[in-house]
Amino acid sequence: MPFGYASPEQIMRDKADYARKGIARGRSVVVLQYVDGILFVAPNPSRALHKISEIYDRIGFAAVGRYNEFEELRLGGIRYADINGYTYDRSDVTGRGLANLYASNLGRIFTESIKSLEVEVVVAEVGDTKEGDAIYRLTFDGSVFDEHGFAAMGGQAEAVASRLKERYRESMSLADALEVALTALTEPGGERPPVGQLEVAVLDRNREHRKFLRLTGARLERLLAQTSNPPSAPAAPPATPPQDSGDTPPPTGPEGDVDDGSSPL
């Protein structure tokens, strides 16, 4: 059955609006430079699904939107990097080359498919010096933005980027950069995400070989303690649990959120 007529401009506008709405439902991600490399910070309640990952020796990946869609992009980037690094040389795998690959794929899908991908991606590469660092932000339609110093995407990206711009400065320590990122991700007057719902990683130029390092557990807690606004200690559980009189049934519900990858992250 034929569809009603719609102009190409209207179709493109509809696809763009659809993608933007999906991306806006995801939690924001911040990527910014610090004195020894590049920091990635994202609120993420899921323990199974990562928004921040390693692509290659010096290259990191961050995304917001539908997990199942940006995970396909991540895996494709890893295959591209492995094949080119093995066929030619590891130094031939660059963040710019990977960003161009993603831009081509995103642009083709946006133009040719009925539904565009609901994703926004950052590809970051750490250099031997801060002048060699690179941060590329890619939107759902394949547009590439060469960001300088920091990038924000997803959720309330404009407000987050504005707060980043006010506080960011060059050559910050890792603790200071984390403080700036968390402040930017937190609405004024709001509460910061608890440690267990933070995903944090770095590309550290001082590390040998693989530069990507995920910061978790005690390592992340020590780093947060060095910031100017460390998280408060969790409240102690009550000494005696409340007694159930038997008159009211206990509340029921899921024990935790389970994300199948179809929801925005």
Side-chain angles (χ1 to χ4, degrees), residues 45-47 197 252-260:
S46 173
R47 297 183 179 180
Q197 294 187 13
T252 59
E255 295 181 352
D257 296 330
V258 178
D259 197 323
D260 63 0

Side-chain angles (χ1 to χ4, degrees), residues 58-86:
R58 295 173 168 269
I59 302 173
F61 172 95
V64 66
R66 286 193 176 272
Y67 176 83
N68 55 340
E69 294 180 349
F70 67 67
E71 178 67 1
E72 286 296 320
L73 292 174
R74 185 186 73 87
L75 294 175
I78 291 174
R79 287 191 291 268
Y80 162 86
D82 284 344
I83 291 172
N84 280 272
Y86 179 79

Side-chain angles (χ1 to χ4, degrees), residues 36-213:
D36 292 322
I38 299 174
L39 170 68
F40 304 79
V41 183
N44 184 2
S46 173
R47 297 183 179 180
L49 311 180
H50 290 306
K51 301 168 69 172
I52 300 167
S53 300
E54 178 185 28
I55 294 290
Y56 211 54
D57 298 345
R58 295 173 168 269
I59 302 173
F61 172 95
V64 66
R66 286 193 176 272
Y67 176 83
N68 55 340
E69 294 180 349
F70 67 67
E71 178 67 1
E72 286 296 320
L73 292 174
R74 185 186 73 87
L75 294 175
I78 291 174
R79 287 191 291 268
Y80 162 86
D82 284 344
I83 291 172
N84 280 272
Y86 179 79
T87 305
Y88 305 106
D89 187 82
R90 299 185 77 85
S91 62
D92 291 326
V93 181
T94 64
R96 176 176 294 183
L98 188 62
N100 288 337
L101 173 72
Y102 284 149
S104 176
N105 289 340
L106 287 167
R108 175 179 50 79
I109 292 171
F110 179 73
T111 303
E112 299 176 2
S113 299
I114 295 176
K115 181 187 112 44
S116 61
L117 297 187
E118 298 171 62
V119 299
E120 196 166 351
V121 172
V122 161
V123 175
E125 180 179 14
V126 68
D128 293 328
T129 64
K130 67 178 183 179
E131 289 77 18
D133 294 347
I135 300 174
Y136 302 101
R137 180 172 60 87
L138 296 97
T139 57
F140 57 87
D141 60 355
S143 299
V144 184
F145 300 89
D146 185 2
E147 305 285 5
H148 299 283
F150 60 85
M153 58 184 178
Q156 304 297 319
E158 291 185 5
V160 172
S162 177
R163 292 192 287 270
L164 273 175
K165 187 175 181 180
E166 292 175 359
R167 295 167 175 82
Y168 174 80
R169 63 185 187 277
E170 293 186 359
S171 301
M172 292 184 294
S173 69
L174 179 54
D176 288 343
L178 181 57
E179 168 70 18
V180 169
L182 292 174
T183 301
L185 288 167
T186 306
E187 290 288 338
E191 294 185 359
R192 293 184 174 183
V195 177
Q197 294 187 13
L198 276 178
E199 187 174 359
V200 182
V202 294
L203 289 170
D204 185 348
R205 76 177 94 258
N206 297 321
R207 285 173 56 85
E208 294 291 334
H209 307 300
R210 294 173 62 181
K211 309 298 184 182
F212 184 88
L213 176 65

